[in-house]
Amino acid sequence: MSYAQRVLEQLKVRYAHEPEYIQAATEILTTLKPVIDRNEEKYEKAGLLERFVEPERIISFRVPWVDDSGKVQVNRAFRVQYNSAIGPYKGGIRLHPSVNQSILKFLGFEQVLKNSLTGLPIGGGKGGCDFDPKGKSDNEVMRFCQSFMTELYRYIGADTDVPAGDIGTGAREIGYMYGQYKRLTGLYEGVLTGKGLTYGGSLGRKEATGFGLCYLTRAMMERNGKTVSGKTVLVSGSGNVAIYAAQKITEMGAKVVAMSDSNGYIYDPNGVNLDVVKQIKEVERGRIKEYVSRVSGATYTEGCSGIWTIPCQIALPCATQNEINEASAKALIAGGVEAVGEGANMPSTIEATEAFQKAGVLFAPGKAANAGGVACSALEMTQNSMRLSWTAAEVDEKLQGIMVNIFNKVDEAAAEYATPGDYVAGANIAGFLKVAEAMLAQGAV
Ligand code: NDP
Ligand code: 2IT
C-alpha cells in the first residue's frame, strides 16, 4: 500500500466518527497520490502527510449567553488552527446548529489548500459554533458574539489567526465580534476580515466570493471553448455567496432562473429579480418563498434538492456541503449542464463529483472556485497593515487577476500530474505543493 493510502486508512479508523472530515481527506489524499508517489521517500521520512492531515491545534470552548427572557443559554464552539506553514491561520466562522468538530475539520482542511491556491501568504483555519442566529434578536446575537469573543480573543490576532464570515456570520456578527476584541485587547488591528467599511473593511469583500466564483467559472468555460453569456443558471442558497454569484453571472449575460434556502427553492423563468432577493434576505432576514408573493410568474417548491432537476447549462451550488448527491448530479447531467462551479465548500458528494467528471461536465471544485472570498480577505489584511484603502475598482481588478491565476495553476497541475481537465486533482495538487515545500523547509514542526 502506498504512503498516501496508509495515512488515509489510519485516518478512517482514528476518525471514523467524523464523516465530513473523512470525506474531504479521502478526496484530497486520493487525488494527491501521483505527487506523493513521486516523492514518497522524502515525504515519509519527514512525516509530512501525518502532519499535513492533522490540525496544528483545535481550541474548543463553551459559550454562555443570556437570552431575551433572562435565561442562560450554552453553545459549543471551536477554532481549528489547521496549518500555518505559509502564513497566519485564516478562515471563516460558521454559526449553524449543525456545527461540530468534523465539519470544522473538513472546512479547515479545505481552507489550507484554498488559501495556498490564492498565492497570498495565508495559512488555513476555521471556526464556528452550534449557535443558530435565525430567529434571535439583535441583542441576543450581540450578547452571543461578545461571549464567543471573550474566549476566542486569547487565540487570535492580526499576525496569528484572522477569522472572517461563513454561514450565519455576516457583517452584523463580525461587527459585534470586532467590538468585543477591541474592548478586551485595546488593539485596533486587522484581526477579523469582512469588517464594515467604516472600521477597516475592504470594498468588494461582500461581493468577492460570488464574483470570484463567476470569474473562475468563466475562465474555465472559455478555456474549454464555451461561453457564459446566454446560458441558463441555477444558484442554490440565497446567502452572501449565492446573491453575488447570481449578480455577476447575470452581468456576464447569463440568466439565473432559480435560487433556494434550506426550506425550498423558487423558479422564475423570466430571470430572478435580485433586488427582491436582496430585500428579503439581506434587509428583512426573511425566507426565499416570500419572493413568489412579490414577483409574478415565479413558483416556490418545498425541499432543497428539487432545484437540480431544472434544466440548465451552469450550476452554481452556493449553500452548503453535500447538497448535490449522485441523484442530483445525474438530474443536472440529464438537464444539459455544461459547467458546475462550487461556491459552497464541498457541495458535491464524491459520487456526484465522479458523475460530473465521467459525463464530461466542466467541474470547478470549491477550494478553487470560491477562493475569491478569502483572497479578498487577504487584501483586506494588506490594506489594514498599510493603513489605507483601495478603491472598489482596484480590489476587483486584483480579484479577477487572482481567480484567473488560480484557474491557470489548477489547469496546469491537472495536466502535469493527473488528467488534463481534472480540476479536482489539479486544485489539490497545486495547493499542496506550496504548503508541502514550506513545511519541509521549516523542519519537523
Ligand atoms: P449564508 O449564511 O450567507 O447563506 C447560506 C445559504 O445557504 C442560505 O441560503 C442558507 O439557507 C443555505 N443553507 C445553509 N445551510 C444549509 C443547509 N444545511 N441546507 C440547505 N441550505 C442551507 O452563508 P454564505 O453564503 O457565506 O456561505 C455559503 C457557502 O459558501 C458555505 O458552504 C460557505 O462555507 C461557503 N463559502 C463562503 C464564503 C464567504 O465568504 N462567505 C467564502 C467561501 C465559501 P437558510 O437561510 O435557510 O439557512
Ligand atoms: O470558506 C471560506 O473561504 C470563507 N468562509 C471565507 C474565509 C475568509 O477568511 O475570508
Side-chain angles (χ1 to χ4, degrees):
M1 210 190 277
S2 72
Y3 177 40
Q5 282 169 315
R6 265 181 284 128
V7 171
L8 178 59
E9 291 312 313
Q10 283 164 5
L11 283 187
K12 286 182 180 168
V13 174
R14 187 176 303 141
Y15 298 115
H17 55 290
E18 297 188 345
E20 294 85 1
Y21 168 64
I22 293 299
Q23 182 182 339
T26 301
E27 183 214 279
I28 291 167
L29 288 175
T30 308
T31 52
L32 287 182
K33 191 173 171 302
V35 177
I36 293 162
D37 287 352
R38 286 193 202 184
N39 300 283
E40 184 157 308
E41 216 183 300
K42 180 171 74 168
Y43 286 171
E44 188 160 12
K45 184 153 186 257
L48 186 78
L49 283 188
E50 290 87 342
R51 288 190 277 146
F52 176 66
V53 298
E54 201 67 58
E56 290 177 20
R57 181 180 307 106
I58 301 178
I59 298 135
S60 91
F61 52 101
R62 65 174 155 83
V63 184
W65 55 278
V66 184
D67 72 16
D68 285 346
S69 76
K71 183 176 181 336
V72 176
Q73 302 283 347
V74 182
N75 288 97
R76 283 139 299 276
F78 305 85
R79 183 74 185 165
V80 180
Q81 297 184 329
Y82 221 108
N83 192 302
S84 61
I86 64 172
Y89 310 107
K90 180 83 197 85
I93 292 172
R94 179 172 292 193
L95 299 180
H96 192 273
S98 63
V99 162
N100 59 35
Q101 189 161 299
S102 171
I103 289 177
L104 295 181
K105 277 174 67 182
F106 117 66
L107 288 164
F109 203 180
E110 292 279 300
Q111 200 81 45
V112 172
L113 295 165
K114 181 195 306 191
N115 294 4
S116 168
L117 284 174
T118 65
L120 300 166
I122 39 179
K126 199 85 188 190
C129 182
D130 62 4
F131 174 79
D132 187 358
K134 269 199 215 96
K136 304 288 192 301
S137 70
D138 278 352
N139 278 328
E140 287 177 324
V141 171
M142 182 176 74
R143 288 193 294 270
F144 165 80
C145 289
Q146 290 177 338
S147 180
F148 177 80
M149 189 52 81
T150 299
E151 184 61 29
L152 187 66
Y153 87 96
R154 303 164 203 282
Y155 309 104
I156 62 175
D159 294 311
T160 49
D161 184 354
V162 183
D166 193 76
I167 290 177
T169 306
R172 175 181 61 171
E173 291 73 19
I174 292 291
Y176 294 147
M177 289 177 193
Y178 190 75
Q180 186 72 353
Y181 180 85
K182 186 161 61 67
R183 187 184 194 194
L184 289 165
T185 62
L187 295 172
Y188 207 105
E189 61 171 13
V191 66
L192 296 169
T193 59
K195 298 185 292 298
L197 296 177
T198 52
Y199 63 93
S202 174
L203 285 162
R205 175 62 188 89
K206 182 174 70 170
E207 298 84 359
T209 313
F211 282 17
L213 169 65
C214 298
Y215 296 143
L216 188 133
T217 302
R218 179 173 62 187
M220 173 176 75
M221 291 184 76
E222 287 180 352
R223 179 66 50 87
N224 289 277
K226 296 178 191 293
T227 55
V228 170
S229 179
K231 300 291 159 68
T232 297
V233 186
L234 308 177
V235 179
S236 67
S238 47
N240 173 258
V241 179
I243 287 175
Y244 294 95
Q247 180 172 318
K248 183 54 73 179
I249 210 94
T250 305
E251 283 170 23
M252 289 177 174
K255 182 160 84 168
V256 176
V257 296
M259 294 183 77
S260 63
D261 61 21
S262 58
N263 293 112
Y265 66 93
I266 53 150
Y267 172 62
D268 187 342
N270 300 316
V272 169
N273 181 331
L274 276 173
D275 290 337
V276 174
V277 174
K278 284 183 187 174
Q279 174 66 25
I280 294 169
K281 302 304 281 194
E282 293 187 334
V283 181
E284 301 167 19
R285 296 181 186 275
R287 307 304 301 160
I288 197 73
K289 75 169 170 216
E290 292 159 36
Y291 183 91
V292 295
S293 62
R294 302 183 198 188
V295 180
S296 64
T299 56
Y300 174 74
T301 309
E302 282 286 330
C304 310
S305 62
I307 190 171
W308 308 120
T309 63
I310 301 169
C312 72
Q313 289 87 47
I314 300 175
L316 302 176
C318 296
T320 194
Q321 66 273 2
N322 293 329
E323 55 171 312
I324 301 184
N325 61 15
E326 190 178 5
S328 295
K330 288 191 168 153
L332 280 165
I333 294 163
V337 73
E338 295 172 7
V340 176
E342 292 191 325
N345 286 304
M346 205 170 76
S348 309
T349 63
I350 290 182
E351 296 75 24
T353 305
E354 284 169 359
F356 289 132
Q357 291 186 323
K358 224 170 117 191
V361 175
L362 300 174
F363 183 84
K367 66 175 71 68
N370 71 37
V374 76
C376 193
S377 281
L379 300 180
E380 182 172 330
M381 290 164 70
T382 305
Q383 292 169 80
N384 291 163
S385 298
M386 295 166 79
R387 302 198 186 284
L388 51 74
S389 307
W390 293 325
T391 64
E394 281 174 290
V395 174
D396 191 59
E397 196 190 320
K398 290 185 203 303
L399 176 65
Q400 292 200 43
I402 289 167
M403 298 314 294
V404 170
N405 190 33
I406 291 174
F407 175 71
N408 288 336
K409 273 197 271 195
V410 168
D411 192 36
E412 282 160 23
E416 186 177 343
Y417 293 95
T419 311
D422 181 349
Y423 305 128
V424 175
N428 289 331
I429 291 167
F432 171 76
L433 286 172
K434 179 177 176 185
V435 176
E437 196 178 322
M439 287 176 73
L440 291 174
Q442 292 172 37
V445 292

